[in-house]
Amino acid sequence: MLRTALLSALLAVCGWAAAAWLTHDFQVWTDEGARRLEVALRPVPVPATAVQDSRARSVTLGELLGPQGGGGSGATIVDFFYTHCETVCLSLGSTFQQLQAALQSGPPAGVRLLSISFDGARDDPSALQRYASGLAADERLWRFVRVPDAREQQALLQRLGVVVIPDGRGDYEHNAALLVFDASGRMRRVFDMAEQQLALDYARHLGRSAAP
């Protein structure tokens, strides 16, 4: 009986230790939660990725995220979408419209918005332009780009933890979040769509920190 009790206690301790390791000392219980904690602890540098915007201009993603991307920005809030999406992307578009309105009505914050299509084959510059126009996007604050090269696109999605699964009918299942980058092109935080105010406050904090 004593031997059984000791074995049970040992298994319980091992189970507790495994759970603590898998959940970062019980701070998270999901893959998405673990991703967010990892990003907060170790910011993720964006890979060298060539993108094309709605005016067919080519630039690297690092340049867009940096101060030279426009307006001396210190932070950028990023989402991933595709123009044919009729589900979660509509919510993301609405969220970004609200973020844009907040930036337009408030003081300069050193913050910009960037929407990246993961359907680079279909979302050419004209499609991006139509989509941006439909959302009344102000190009000074909110830009739309695609990644023309499929391999670079996949590498970017993988690096940033963006999950995109083709459904076989021309659409995709994908996770959705607000990714906040600093002016060095590092992903610093990941927020839920419902946490748009937190994302904006944090981006403004980064923007102020980067101001000369």
Side-chain angles (χ1 to χ4, degrees):
M1 182 178 293
L2 178 60
R3 185 175 181 180
T4 301
L6 289 174
L7 180 59
S8 297
L10 178 61
L11 290 173
V13 170
C14 290
W16 180 89
W21 179 74
L22 289 170
T23 61
H24 293 270
D25 291 332
F26 303 103
Q27 294 181 73
V28 295
W29 285 97
T30 66
D31 287 343
E32 185 65 14
R35 171 198 180 206
R36 295 178 185 192
L37 181 60
E38 285 288 346
V39 169
L41 294 175
R42 287 179 284 275
V44 180
V46 70
T49 306
V51 298
Q52 186 180 46
D53 70 9
S54 58
R55 295 182 181 273
R57 296 173 296 198
S58 296
V59 67
T60 68
L61 187 54
E63 289 171 340
L64 271 185
L65 296 172
Q68 65 270 43
S73 172
T76 306
I77 303 176
V78 175
D79 73 338
F80 282 82
F81 79 107
Y82 67 108
T83 62
H84 293 77
C85 180
E86 297 182 354
T87 53
V88 68
C89 300
L90 297 180
S91 297
L92 278 170
S94 176
T95 295
F96 266 50
Q97 284 180 313
Q98 295 173 51
L99 289 170
Q100 176 178 259
L103 292 173
Q104 289 171 328
S105 63
V111 177
R112 285 170 298 154
L113 308 174
L114 178 64
S115 293
I116 303 175
S117 169
F118 52 73
D119 191 4
R122 288 192 296 181
D123 288 342
D124 59 16
S126 61
L128 294 176
Q129 184 63 51
R130 288 193 301 271
Y131 195 79
S133 297
L135 292 171
D138 180 349
E139 190 177 23
R140 296 170 299 177
L141 294 173
W142 184 6
R143 295 178 69 176
F144 293 76
V145 301
R146 67 168 181 160
V147 183
D149 186 275
R151 287 177 296 182
E152 287 193 0
Q153 175 180 283
Q154 187 57 39
L156 177 65
L157 296 175
Q158 185 173 357
R159 173 72 67 86
L160 302 183
V162 179
V163 178
V164 177
I165 303 173
D167 67 1
R169 302 187 301 273
D171 289 308
Y172 301 89
E173 297 292 335
H174 63 99
N175 57 351
L178 308 177
L179 316 180
V180 181
F181 287 78
D182 62 22
S184 298
R186 298 181 302 164
M187 182 168 65
R188 298 284 296 270
R189 290 290 191 280
V190 179
F191 294 93
D192 280 329
M193 286 191 298
E195 298 175 321
Q196 65 188 66
Q197 188 60 52
L198 289 175
L200 180 57
D201 290 344
Y202 183 72
R204 281 174 165 159
H205 165 71
L206 289 181
R208 288 192 297 268
S209 300

